[in-house]
Amino acid sequence: MEKRLSKISQTLTPSPIQELSHLAQRCGAINLAEGFPDFAAPAHIKNAAVSAINSDLNQYSHVQGICDLLATRMKSSHGLDIDPDTNIVICCGQTEAFAATMFAIIDRGDEVLILDPAFETYETCIRLAGGVPVYVPLDPPHWALNVDRLRKSFTSRTKALVLNSPHNPTGKVFSMEELEAIAGACCEMDCFAVTDEVYEYITFDAKKHISLASLPGMQERTIITSSLSKTFSVTGWRIGWSCALANIASAIRNIHVKITDSAPAPFQEAALTALKSAPAYFESLKQDYERKRDYIVDVLASLGLQIRFKPQGSFFVFTELPETWLLSDMMVCVSPGRQKQNAKKLLEVVHLYEEAQGRVVSIE
Ligand SMILES: Cc1ncc(COP(=O)(O)O)c(C=O)c1O
């Protein structure tokens, strides 16, 4: 019998983000590809992880205290009433939480709306679950939501809409008016909203993150996914969660248990400490990223890149390359050496950073 890979796996291609990361590692280059911070995680949570390992908390575990702390936070930040015993599932990062959520709600042929541009894993998870991703473009330069277009994208097969705010890659934070329009459409079409709120604590200027679930009629149809990764600079710890109505959370939990059993035990323990962090921690996180946002926007503008939308949150800058650079975005990243002009410009960025900070740092 000929042994073949599954049809779905043959449609998957390597992630450009991972590819660029590997290349950066191999060449010793600055890695601007992956969304991870280049600075140390807070000492208080690292100490909690070390102490958990030293206490031999090494076995499969489901640390209920995380759910208690998350429920308290969601009440105080978004006014949501969450039952920590039934509504929350701790997973291996937002990535697994999102995948398990898709497996829990998607039947073959169900359509899922994704606002475009979007973080790359959504489409793959939807397809793996048998769903059909349907892209709804946001309008540049400000990545405005065209409500009419959004409404026209719903069909009788639409099962869910994915909302990521603060947004990767544009840095957009969706406004209350936009959230109301999304909520209205989801309620009218009776479909789920799956939110990705990993950048919840990274917003700039006067912008505030509003959870879609907090809008009228939305808690019962929203599945929140998020994680410790970005808020505590611990993307490698793999602690995230889904939060949903009890029956949906139960389905997600059953899938999570079959795929990974549980998130890493010592890091779940450290999550207890992280989630108890003082308000000052979250404030300084914001301020640091805002300062870096201002800095990189100025640097890129001085190199001739037109930043037509100043990021309002997350830690990305999304910009068009000047036509005179003559290369695609991917080519600028991987082969500046082939174009002396581009190489020179990229090196200018590096030198500006080195001069300003005494070392090379990434965009975050
Ligand atoms: C929008 C968005 N969601 C999720 C993730 C991944 O989160 P986690 O580390 O919790 O899996 C990323 C990572 O870059 C991201 O940018």
Side-chain angles (χ1 to χ4, degrees):
M1 192 184 88
E2 192 195 351
K3 299 206 172 37
R4 277 176 308 170
L5 293 171
S6 67
K7 288 202 178 64
I8 185 83
S9 76
Q10 290 181 58
T11 67
L12 302 182
T13 49
S15 145
I17 296 179
Q18 299 288 342
E19 279 188 322
L20 285 173
S21 261
H22 287 148
L23 269 174
Q25 263 170 15
R26 274 195 12 224
C27 309
I30 305 167
N31 184 1
L32 299 181
E34 246 177 324
F36 58 76
D38 68 336
F39 48 84
H44 67 291
I45 69 161
K46 285 194 293 193
N47 291 340
V50 170
S51 152
I53 291 173
N54 286 334
S55 308
D56 270 319
L57 293 169
N58 301 322
Q59 313 310 330
Y60 305 124
S61 73
H62 300 93
V63 177
Q64 178 57 32
I66 301 178
C67 303
D68 300 339
L69 290 166
L70 286 173
T72 309
R73 279 200 165 270
M74 288 190 208
K75 178 74 186 170
S76 61
S77 306
H78 305 297
L80 297 172
D81 287 311
I82 307 285
D83 177 349
D85 293 332
T86 59
N87 294 150
I88 300 177
V89 188
I90 304 302
C91 296
C92 297
Q94 185 277 344
T95 304
E96 193 217 352
F98 186 86
T101 299
M102 290 301 123
F103 282 111
I105 63 170
I106 300 296
D107 280 317
R108 187 153 298 279
D110 282 349
E111 293 175 0
V112 181
L113 303 184
I114 305 176
L115 304 178
D116 190 32
F119 180 48
E120 64 169 4
T121 62
Y122 307 144
E123 171 173 338
T124 309
C125 292
I126 293 164
R127 288 176 49 222
L128 284 174
V132 180
V134 176
Y135 282 101
V136 183
L138 295 167
D139 288 332
H142 297 110
W143 310 108
L145 177 73
N146 180 323
V147 177
D148 201 37
R149 189 188 293 140
L150 173 74
R151 286 184 158 271
K152 287 191 179 130
S153 308
F154 283 86
T155 71
S156 56
R157 286 187 301 170
T158 306
K159 188 63 157 293
L161 170 147
V162 179
L163 176 70
N164 168 218
S165 181
H167 188 242
N168 171 5
T170 65
K172 175 183 173 76
V173 175
F174 284 73
S175 68
M176 183 52 120
E177 294 71 41
E178 289 169 319
L179 297 179
E180 281 170 352
I182 293 170
C186 288
C187 289
E188 235 170 82
M189 299 306 292
D190 193 20
C191 75
F192 289 116
V194 181
T195 62
D196 175 350
E197 306 185 25
V198 292
Y199 298 107
E200 162 166 24
Y201 292 100
I202 307 176
T203 57
F204 310 133
D205 309 319
K207 281 278 173 189
K208 285 221 166 11
H209 168 66
I210 303 163
S211 187
L212 186 65
S214 66
L215 273 70
M218 285 309 286
Q219 189 171 348
E220 68 203 51
R221 62 178 70 253
T222 302
I223 302 159
I224 297 173
T225 63
S226 193
S227 74
L228 290 192
S229 289
K230 317 291 177 168
T231 308
F232 297 98
S233 310
V234 289
T235 57
W237 285 17
R238 314 311 299 134
I239 305 291
W241 50 87
S242 279
C243 177
L245 285 190
N247 66 324
I248 304 168
S250 164
I252 295 171
R253 188 174 302 107
N254 292 341
I255 291 162
H256 156 70
V257 167
K258 293 292 182 295
I259 299 175
T260 59
D261 184 88
S262 46
F267 299 130
Q268 286 192 64
E269 292 298 325
L272 296 175
T273 304
L275 292 167
K276 284 184 211 150
S277 299
Y281 170 75
F282 298 95
E283 197 43 47
S284 78
L285 181 81
K286 252 181 210 237
Q287 283 172 7
D288 283 355
Y289 273 120
E290 187 168 323
R291 188 176 45 77
K292 289 177 178 178
R293 188 254 340 232
D294 290 344
Y295 185 75
I296 191 71
V297 162
D298 285 351
V299 168
L300 294 176
S302 74
L303 293 174
L305 287 151
Q306 254 197 324
I307 314 283
R308 294 198 289 164
F309 180 73
K310 198 169 176 182
Q312 302 165 328
S314 79
F315 47 46
F316 302 91
V317 181
F318 197 53
T319 180
E320 253 173 284
L321 293 170
E323 274 177 26
T324 50
W325 286 27
L326 298 175
L327 285 177
S328 72
D329 47 0
M330 192 75 176
M331 293 304 279
V332 165
C333 294
V334 299
S335 62
R338 286 197 211 145
Q339 279 272 339
K340 286 217 170 75
Q341 192 59 16
N342 285 305
K344 198 167 151 262
K345 286 197 183 297
L346 293 173
L347 280 173
E348 275 171 37
V349 177
V350 173
H351 290 146
L352 278 165
Y353 266 128
E354 279 175 333
E355 260 170 41
Q357 308 217 351
R359 66 191 181 99
V360 179
V361 297
S362 72
I363 208 164
E364 291 97 17

